[in-house]
Each structure stands twice: as structure tokens, then as C-alpha cells.
Amino acid sequence: MATNDSIPEDPTGWMLDNSISDFLLVSSKEIRYMCIFGYTFLHGHRVFSALAPDTPPSFKFVSLIMACFGGGVFVPIFLNMLPVPIANDSLPLGVIVSFTIHHYFPIVREVMKLSDILKVVFVVLFETLRAMVVVTFTVAAGERIPPSFFSFPLFGPIFCGTIAGCGGAFLPLNK
């Protein structure tokens, strides 16, 4: 019978035992909410910057929703699941907060344009959440799509992960 002293220590354990990996793996609700805000805020920055100031707020709001949840609506429909904004209440709240900030405090967009450090922070938050969405939907597609030619589903999960990561870039379709 082996004792704990004979088990060698994992030399790669340091990779998961630090605060950076906790953040990148979105290991707590607080980190997730922070990434949701960064994701919706950066989308809001892009949507509001692309539209004219006299564009109706309703059009801006719907454009923001489509930009934020494009892939999170398409892929669950493909997989016979609930769309992300319906399944997770914190995401629509993030969109509402982001829309409110961009609509009532447009100076925040100007600060974002001027501050490279702020851009980097929001891009990291944005991409962290987007990576989490891609991995989540790729795994979900791998579990739901039956294998056909190989012993595991190959292209279905890749397509679903790709659409989950960039589906909002095509919405609204008048771009």
C-alpha cells in the first residue's frame, strides 16, 4: 500500500494554484458578473459609437441585445436548449446596466476612447467571458450531438463553438 509520501508532486500544479487562473477560469460569481459587465459594456461602446446620436434609443437597445446575445441565441436553438438571455437572468441585467450607462452618460464612451488602460481592462473582461461561452457551448454540443463518422462528434461542436463566439458580430443583419 502506497503512502502519500511516495506520490510525486505535480510540477504543473502552480498553473492552477494562482489568482490569474482563478480569473481566467471564471471560478466565482463575482468574477462572472464582472466579466458580464465588461462584455456588455464593450458591446455597448461598439454599438453606441457606430450609431448616430439621433438614433432612437429603442433601436440602440435592440442592437445592443442582438450584439451581446447573437451566438447565445442561435446555438441553444440548434441544440434544443434555452437561449442564454432566458436561461441566465444576470445577462439581461448586464445589458440594461450597460445601456443605461451609455445612454445617460455618453461621456463614459469618450473616456473609453481616450484611455488605453481602460480599453485593455474591458477587452480582457470581454474576451474572458466570450471564451467561457465558446467552451460551454462546444462542450454542450459535444454532449448533445450524436457521433456519425467518428466515434465522437467533430464538426458540430466546432461549428457551435464558432457561432457562439462570433454570432453577435453578424447581428443586426443590416450591417
Side-chain angles (χ1 to χ4, degrees), residues 146-155:
S148 56
F149 185 72
F150 298 107
S151 62
F152 54 90
L154 179 63
F155 292 107

Side-chain angles (χ1 to χ4, degrees), residues 8-175:
E9 185 176 328
D10 183 10
T12 61
W14 63 272
M15 289 185 218
L16 292 176
D17 192 25
N18 62 55
S19 58
I20 294 174
S21 65
D22 289 340
F23 173 78
L24 293 176
L25 294 173
V26 190
S27 62
S28 70
K29 287 183 180 181
E30 293 83 4
I31 294 171
R32 183 182 179 113
Y33 296 147
M34 190 170 51
C35 290
I36 287 170
F37 176 71
Y39 181 82
T40 58
F41 186 83
L42 191 59
H43 266 303
H45 175 70
R46 292 175 180 168
V47 167
F48 277 73
S49 296
L51 297 174
D54 60 343
T55 304
S58 57
F59 184 79
K60 291 178 181 178
F61 186 67
V62 170
S63 295
L64 179 59
I65 289 172
M66 285 194 276
C68 287
F69 302 132
V73 171
F74 287 146
V75 175
I77 290 172
F78 297 159
L79 299 177
N80 199 20
M81 298 167 57
L82 283 175
V84 170
I86 295 173
N88 186 347
D89 290 336
S90 62
L91 292 169
L93 286 175
V95 169
I96 291 169
V97 169
S98 178
F99 174 80
T100 303
I101 290 171
H102 284 291
H103 183 69
Y104 292 108
F105 305 106
I107 191 71
V108 177
R109 279 194 310 282
E110 300 303 320
V111 172
M112 182 86 158
K113 288 178 187 175
L114 296 174
S115 174
D116 291 336
I117 293 172
L118 192 60
K119 280 183 201 172
V120 168
V121 168
F122 277 102
V123 166
V124 167
L125 294 171
F126 178 89
E127 295 299 341
T128 301
L129 186 74
R130 192 165 77 157
M132 185 187 79
V133 168
V134 168
V135 169
T136 300
F137 280 126
T138 304
V139 169
E143 292 171 354
R144 291 201 175 237
I145 297 173
S148 56
F149 185 72
F150 298 107
S151 62
F152 54 90
L154 179 63
F155 292 107
I158 292 171
F159 292 148
C160 286
T162 302
I163 293 169
C166 68
F170 302 107
L171 295 174
L173 295 174
N174 67 348
K175 287 185 179 178

